[in-house]
C-alpha cells in the first residue's frame, strides 16, 4: 500500500512543487524544494525496504535412467538436391538417399508467379533461418531414394524450381 501512496504523492505533489519553484515566492520555493527532497527520500527508503529478489534456483542435474534405450545414430545433416517433384495433388519431392539419411526434412516453398521455389534441408542442416513458409516433414527411404510429401495444393501449371540453383525440378512422369 505504501508504494501506491508514494506514487500518488509524486503525481500530486511533484508538479505542484515544480510550479512553486518556478512561480512562487522565496518561501514557496523553499517549500517546493523540501517537498521534492521528502518525496525522493521516501522513494529511496521504499527501495531500501523492498526485500531482495529471490535467487534463481539452480537447475538440478537430470536423473540418471537405470535402463536407457540406445540412442539413434545422428543423421547426416546435408542439403539434399531434389531429383523429381510431383505437384499434382500434393508436393512430393524425391532425391538420392545418403547413408544415415535424416528421418525428417524441412521444405521451404515460395510461390512466385508460375514458379514454385523449393528449398530442401535435412533435419541436421545448419545455417538456415526459420520461415513461415517452411514445413517439417517425415522422410521415407526406399530403394536408395528418399521422399517426402508436403500437404499443399499448388495451382495447375506451376513449375517446381530448386530455390538454390534456379533450375526447374523435373516431374516423376518425365
Amino acid at each position: 500500500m505504501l508504494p501506491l501512496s508514494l506514487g500518488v504523492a509524486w503525481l500530486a505533489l511533484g508538479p505542484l512543487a515544480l510550479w512553486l519553484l518556478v512561480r512562487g515566492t522565496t518561501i514557496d520555493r523553499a517549500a517546493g524544494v523540501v517537498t521534492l527532497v521528502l518525496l525522493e527520500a521516501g522513494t529511496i527508503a521504499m527501495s531500501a525496504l523492498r526485500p531482495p529478489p529471490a535467487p534463481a534456483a539452480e537447475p538440478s542435474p537430470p536423473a540418471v535412467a537405470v535402463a536407457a534405450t540406445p540412442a539413434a545414430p545422428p543423421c547426416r545433416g546435408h542439403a539434399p538436391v531434389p531429383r523429381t517433384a510431383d505437384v499434382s495433388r500434393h508436393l512430393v519431392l524425391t532425391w538420392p538417399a545418403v547413408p544415415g539419411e535424416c528421418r525428417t526434412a524441412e521444405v521451404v516453398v515460395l510461390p512466385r508467379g508460375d514458379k514454385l521455389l523449393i528449398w530442401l534441408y535435412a533435419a541436421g542442416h545448419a545455417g538456415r533461418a526459420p520461415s513461415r513458409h517452411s514445413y517439417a516433414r517425415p522422410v521415407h527411404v526406399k530403394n536408395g531414394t528418399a521422399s517426402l510429401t508436403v500437404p499443399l495444393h499448388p495451382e495447375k501449371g506451376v513449375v517446381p524450381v530448386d530455390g538454390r540453383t534456379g533450375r526447374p525440378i523435373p516431374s516423376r512422369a518425365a
Side-chain angles (χ1 to χ4, degrees):
M1 189 62 149
L2 276 173
L4 179 64
S5 301
L6 185 61
V8 172
W10 267 108
L11 287 174
L13 297 176
L16 177 64
L18 290 174
W19 184 77
L20 289 175
L21 285 174
V22 174
R23 297 282 184 181
T25 63
T26 306
I27 294 176
D28 292 338
R29 289 181 181 164
V33 168
V34 168
T35 302
L36 289 174
V37 167
L38 287 174
L39 286 172
E40 188 62 33
T43 302
I44 292 170
M46 286 300 298
S47 65
L49 293 176
R50 185 180 322 169
E58 292 192 23
S60 59
V64 177
V66 176
T69 58
C75 67
R76 183 172 172 198
H78 64 107
V81 177
R83 180 187 295 165
T84 64
D86 179 16
V87 290
S88 60
R89 293 184 308 150
H90 303 293
L91 174 61
V92 180
L93 298 171
T94 64
W95 65 94
V98 295
E101 185 74 47
C102 294
R103 292 183 180 177
T104 60
E106 185 172 0
V107 182
V108 178
V109 180
L110 291 173
R112 292 289 185 255
D114 63 341
K115 295 179 182 176
L116 193 62
L117 299 177
I118 300 167
W119 288 266
L120 182 60
Y121 300 95
H125 189 71
R128 233 216 45 68
S131 166
R132 64 183 181 103
H133 300 284
S134 65
Y135 303 88
R137 305 301 303 160
V139 173
H140 305 283
V141 178
K142 184 176 182 182
N143 299 330
T145 301
S147 67
L148 63 77
T149 303
V150 178
L152 64 98
H153 305 286
E155 305 263 336
K156 295 276 187 205
V158 172
V159 177
V161 174
D162 188 341
R164 287 187 290 260
T165 64
R167 294 186 181 132
I169 305 169
S171 69
R172 286 195 283 184

